[in-house]
Amino acid sequence: QKLLTSPPPEAKDSPDAVLFRQLTSFSGPLLGTLRSAALPAAANPPEATKPSPAVPAFGLDPALFGKHPNGSPVDAASLCVKAPSIITFTLPADIVAGSELVTTGVLDPLTGAEGSVQLDVVVGKPMRGAGLLPSEAKVTIAGGRWTDDNRRMAYTTPIIATENSAARKRIEAAFDEYRNLFPAALCYTKIVPVDEVVTLTLFYREDEHLVRLMLDDDQKAQLDRLWDELHYISQDAVTLVDAFIQLMEYATQDADPKVFEPLRKPINDRAAAFRKRLIDDEPKQLDALIAFAPKVYRRPLSTAESQELRNLYAVFRKDEMPHEEAFRLLLARMLVAPSFLYRIEKRVPGEKQGPVSDNELASRLSYFLWSSQPDEALLKAAAAGELRDTKNLLAQSRRMLSDAKTRRLATEFACQWLHIHDFDHLDEKSDRHFPTFVSLRGAMYEESIQFFTDLFQNNGSVLNILDANYTFLNEDLAKHYDIPGVKGPEWRRVEDVKKFSRGGILGQATTLTKQSGASRTSPILRGNWISEVLLGERLPRPPKGVPQLPEDEATETLTVRQLTEKHVNDPKCSVCHRRIDPFGYSLEGFDAIGRHREKDLGNRLIDTHATVFDGSEITGIEGLRSYLLTVRREAFLRQFCKKLLGYSLGRAVQLSDEPLLTDMQTVLKNNDYKVVSAIEAIIQSRQFREIRGRERAMEE
């Protein structure tokens, strides 16, 4: 009793351990008797073995053994079923605890010769489903026989197939096809870390599956070309020689290096072939660099220029300079040449002006609309002489304006004209007064850029620069403007924004912020900006010694407007201030970072009513916008045309350009003020398509 109620003896070969195993054996004197008592009807027919609620049945019905599903007899100790089939049986838990359930399954040699089956043993109710049962471990195909026990059931579900049968070959082929979907590196766990120094796996290409499954022929060719280029950068064939030498040094310390010796010759041969290839490719690389020069110079090279570059390379090599270094120096020489740094144009002979060359015209057009060199399509048109035809020239300009590169016209022309270029780097605002400005300045700048990009790409009206009832916002900037309904970081066009005191450049945070102080607004700066930048009025510079207004409006007893009006009483200042300050007063409804406001930082009410120099009354941004669009429309249009013309020609507008400015304004009026009409008027003009004669230029 003491032996049976105690844990098994630790010494397995001791008399107590032997007796314990005999007594506790499933067929021993104790449990054997219990088994016989628990299975009293094991030999009875199936009808007599049906369990009753009071007496549970254990094991399998003997009547299931010894017969084939088709009625023919089989071995009496075998149970034969037709798949799919579920066999359920019960075992007493107390008896089988700590034991193993071992079962063997085979295919019938006649009816199952070309079949396949999975056998699965589970505790509880089995899961039904179509297809193969998944495995957590490697699936194995046994040679027509399967064995499993309850310790392995959770890990693998083998497939039984007859040796050399068609079914087995089909399954093996399917597994091979499935495994081929994955690189080998994904199928095996890394056991030994790879030493990046002592390894021969450097620069190993393993994209076979990507190429086979994902890429078309053109993409395959591009990938091969990129790999080929990588050889020049990685120098892998040469690097592998060094890696092999180090590997051999390590191997000689504690192993026989003979196993690596067969690798020496192939590695050295590849390195020698690669070094020869480098030498053979030097002339090709030089040719490619010379062929690149026309793109750098934005025009074809003359024979003399091409030879000069080759001669310079020869001089470098004559001084025993390596090819790569000589190549770099020659490229540097091209990038510091005047033809790259400057847009040099060849003047026509004589005193009279004449047409620029086709390539020079293409360059003028590209730098006007894209602020960059011509693309392939424009260069091709220039080479074919098509740009001399006005129709083709305008067609190219329309193509270019529809391109995303038109954004550069917005940034380089419009933003510079309005003095907001590089606004996203502005750092002149007080963090204490305006802590949100730094996080918003990029969005403010993007609004202006997208506004003008849309204007040029979609041929908007020049008057929309002042009068647009739309703008471009994301959620952050919309919150800054108190405009509801804009969610997410995506940029979008938002209509009907005048009711929020927005629309056009007068309501954009960039212009309002740039023409303000660090911690307060500035009616003087804003008014001067409108007068000089938008209307083109030339005002004298302020005299020296003019007293500065206080910087912090929150600490003053007077509003910024009142302080400005007091300042203007000085006779030396009043003449100019009476022209510019009223414009600034009308924009006092916006703070120093462009937010709409009713009161200033000192909690004083804002007054936006003003009387301008000609006696007109205006109130707020709406009044200012209306005044500029009606009374001062011609001045605004002329200033726009003047700035656009000067930008397109890369020089200041001269007296001789006055007829063209007049034509541009007329064209705008006749075309509903569409901006492309002004651009095309410039492109068709003699100023844009011609150049002054050499003798005339020398006289000047």
Side-chain angles (χ1 to χ4, degrees):
Q1 178 182 3
K2 182 178 179 182
L3 178 65
L4 290 174
T5 56
S6 302
E10 294 184 0
K12 295 182 179 181
D13 297 332
S14 66
D16 284 347
V18 173
L19 178 61
F20 183 86
R21 286 196 298 270
Q22 291 176 348
L23 293 174
T24 58
S25 170
F26 190 66
S27 57
L30 296 178
L31 299 182
T33 303
L34 178 62
R35 179 184 58 179
S36 300
L39 304 173
N44 293 336
E47 292 77 6
T49 60
K50 291 181 180 179
S52 64
V55 182
F58 299 105
L60 289 168
D61 182 357
L64 299 177
F65 292 80
K67 61 182 179 180
H68 195 284
N70 61 13
S72 61
V74 296
D75 177 63
S78 296
L79 189 155
C80 185
V81 296
K82 182 180 179 180
S85 178
I86 298 176
I87 302 173
T88 304
F89 58 93
T90 304
L91 295 175
D94 291 341
I95 296 179
V96 302
S99 301
E100 295 179 356
L101 173 64
V102 179
T103 178
T104 302
V106 298
L107 292 170
D108 183 76
L110 296 177
T111 59
E114 287 298 334
S116 62
V117 68
Q118 278 184 296
L119 301 182
D120 194 21
V121 180
V122 298
V123 177
K125 187 176 181 180
M127 297 179 61
R128 293 180 178 271
L132 294 176
L133 296 175
S135 300
E136 297 183 18
K138 181 182 178 182
V139 175
T140 59
I141 301 177
R145 180 172 294 273
W146 172 82
T147 59
D148 207 342
D149 57 67
N150 60 357
R151 294 175 301 174
R152 296 170 55 213
M153 285 187 241
Y155 302 104
T156 181
T157 309
I159 300 173
I160 301 176
T162 303
E163 191 75 33
N164 297 323
S165 66
R168 179 187 178 97
K169 295 177 181 178
R170 174 178 54 81
I171 296 172
E172 288 178 335
F175 282 140
D176 288 340
E177 182 180 359
Y178 178 74
R179 283 191 291 267
N180 200 32
L181 295 175
F182 306 96
L186 295 181
C187 301
Y188 299 95
T189 302
K190 183 186 292 187
I191 301 175
V192 180
V194 176
D195 189 322
E196 293 184 359
V197 177
V198 188
T199 180
L200 298 181
T201 62
L202 292 169
F203 315 109
Y204 177 66
R205 182 175 179 179
E206 194 179 54
D207 53 16
E208 173 190 353
H209 304 283
L210 169 68
V211 171
R212 180 170 54 84
L213 299 172
M214 305 292 291
L215 306 185
D216 57 30
D217 290 341
D218 291 340
Q219 292 169 331
K220 292 176 185 177
Q222 181 183 5
L223 183 60
D224 289 338
R225 179 180 58 81
L226 293 173
W227 269 104
D228 192 57
E229 291 179 358
L230 182 62
H231 291 314
Y232 292 94
I233 300 172
S234 65
Q235 303 281 305
D236 56 307
V238 178
T239 304
L240 199 58
V241 174
D242 297 334
F244 179 76
I245 293 173
Q246 293 189 55
L247 180 65
M248 292 294 286
E249 291 176 352
Y250 276 92
T252 56
Q253 295 178 10
D254 54 7
D256 186 358
K258 292 181 180 180
V259 67
F260 299 108
E261 192 60 38
L263 299 175
R264 183 186 300 275
K265 187 176 186 305
I267 290 175
N268 289 334
D269 288 347
R270 282 195 296 269
F274 179 70
R275 293 189 183 96
K276 182 178 183 303
R277 181 182 180 184
L278 290 178
I279 296 174
D280 293 343
D281 287 347
E282 288 178 1
K284 300 176 185 178
Q285 293 170 355
L286 177 61
D287 291 342
L289 183 57
I290 301 300
F292 178 66
K295 293 185 177 181
V296 175
Y297 295 164
R298 300 176 294 276
R299 59 171 175 77
L301 260 65
S302 66
T303 304
E305 289 175 319
S306 178
Q307 190 58 47
E308 180 184 354
L309 292 174
R310 292 183 181 276
N311 292 341
L312 182 59
Y313 172 81
V315 171
F316 293 152
R317 295 307 304 276
K318 187 177 180 180
D319 293 337
E320 298 184 356
M321 183 180 295
H323 164 73
E324 184 174 343
E325 186 176 346
F327 187 97
R328 292 176 182 273
L329 282 178
L330 189 61
L331 176 60
R333 167 64 180 82
M334 292 161 52
L335 297 178
V336 298
S339 294
F340 173 72
L341 298 176
Y342 304 101
R343 289 164 52 191
I344 299 175
E345 297 176 341
K346 186 177 181 180
R347 296 188 179 274
V348 297
E351 294 186 358
K352 294 184 178 180
Q353 64 188 63
V356 295
S357 70
D358 296 278
N359 286 291
E360 290 168 351
L361 183 57
S363 186
R364 284 190 178 190
L365 184 62
S366 184
Y367 278 93
F368 175 22
L369 302 182
W370 285 352
S371 298
S372 184
Q373 64 183 29
D375 65 355
E376 291 296 330
L378 190 56
L379 288 174
K380 185 177 179 180
E386 297 175 357
L387 299 184
R388 295 187 181 276
D389 186 320
T390 300
K391 181 180 179 181
N392 292 332
L393 183 63
L394 294 180
Q396 286 290 337
S397 69
R398 291 165 189 157
R399 175 188 69 86
M400 296 171 69
L401 283 171
S402 65
D403 192 276
K405 296 176 187 175
T406 303
R407 178 182 173 93
R408 300 172 187 170
L409 182 60
T411 56
E412 301 305 315
F413 162 64
C415 291
Q416 289 201 63
W417 165 40
L418 299 178
H419 296 181
I420 57 172
H421 191 265
D422 287 339
F423 180 88
D424 52 335
H425 298 295
L426 183 67
D427 58 358
E428 300 172 356
K429 295 298 172 181
S430 168
D431 293 336
R432 179 169 64 88
H433 292 85
F434 308 110
T436 62
F437 172 71
V438 172
S439 63
L440 283 172
R441 61 188 178 186
M444 295 175 178
Y445 193 37
E446 184 66 20
E447 176 194 16
S448 298
I449 293 174
Q450 293 213 17
F451 177 84
F452 279 102
T453 301
D454 174 78
L455 181 78
F456 294 129
Q457 284 187 330
N458 296 306
N459 195 18
S461 169
V462 174
L463 298 182
N464 281 345
I465 297 174
L466 298 175
D467 198 36
N469 193 20
Y470 63 86
T471 192
F472 292 83
L473 302 172
N474 65 359
E475 183 176 357
D476 291 341
L477 192 58
K479 288 182 178 180
H480 183 72
Y481 287 163
D482 287 329
I483 298 179
V486 180
K487 300 296 182 182
E490 302 81 12
W491 285 89
R492 72 219 70 179
R493 176 167 167 153
V494 180
E495 305 287 343
D496 197 24
V497 296
K498 283 186 176 180
K499 61 184 179 183
F500 301 105
S501 297
R502 303 297 166 180
I505 59 174
L506 297 177
Q508 291 182 3
T510 48
T511 56
L512 293 166
T513 301
K514 188 65 181 293
Q515 307 304 323
S516 296
S519 56
R520 62 169 175 80
T521 60
S522 175
I524 298 173
L525 291 177
R526 289 175 176 176
N528 184 74
W529 177 78
I530 292 172
S531 182
E532 289 193 341
V533 175
L534 299 188
L535 300 178
E537 296 177 342
R538 303 188 65 174
L539 301 174
R541 297 297 92 190
K544 295 181 179 181
V546 175
Q548 298 294 318
L549 295 177
E551 277 298 320
D552 194 343
E553 64 182 41
T555 61
E556 298 297 318
T557 58
L558 301 177
T559 64
V560 171
R561 173 171 182 166
Q562 291 169 338
L563 290 170
T564 304
E565 289 173 338
K566 182 179 179 181
H567 171 76
V568 172
N569 289 332
D570 188 333
K572 295 183 296 182
C573 306
S574 60
V575 175
C576 290
H577 281 279
R578 284 189 292 118
R579 298 182 66 89
I580 62 178
D581 290 357
F583 295 144
Y585 295 152
S586 67
L587 296 176
E588 275 295 279
F590 300 94
D591 69 6
I593 58 172
R595 292 177 298 195
H596 191 263
R597 63 179 184 172
E598 299 293 336
K599 296 181 179 180
D600 65 10
L601 295 179
N603 202 33
R604 295 174 289 264
L605 289 174
I606 299 296
D607 181 10
T608 61
H609 180 77
T611 302
V612 297
F613 188 73
D614 61 9
S616 300
E617 301 285 329
I618 61 174
T619 301
I621 186 175
E622 295 82 3
L624 175 61
R625 182 187 291 123
S626 176
Y627 173 78
L628 295 176
L629 288 170
T630 54
V631 180
R632 305 303 302 275
R633 174 182 292 190
E634 296 303 319
F636 171 73
L637 291 175
R638 174 181 168 78
Q639 176 70 350
F640 172 81
C641 292
K642 182 179 179 181
K643 291 297 181 180
L644 185 64
L645 177 60
Y647 176 79
S648 68
L649 299 177
R651 62 168 174 79
V653 174
Q654 301 172 356
L655 182 62
S656 58
D657 298 321
E658 288 296 327
L660 177 55
L661 287 174
T662 302
D663 290 344
M664 291 174 63
Q665 295 172 73
T666 301
V667 167
L668 280 172
K669 293 176 185 177
N670 294 338
N671 290 276
D672 296 326
Y673 300 98
K674 297 295 185 180
V675 68
V676 173
S677 63
I679 293 174
E680 292 183 346
I682 293 175
I683 293 173
Q684 298 177 78
S685 68
R686 295 181 64 188
Q687 285 93 326
F688 191 79
R689 303 174 69 170
E690 295 183 353
I691 190 171
R692 290 186 177 183
R694 185 182 301 116
E695 295 180 11
R696 176 74 177 275
M698 292 176 62
E699 293 176 358
E700 295 178 350

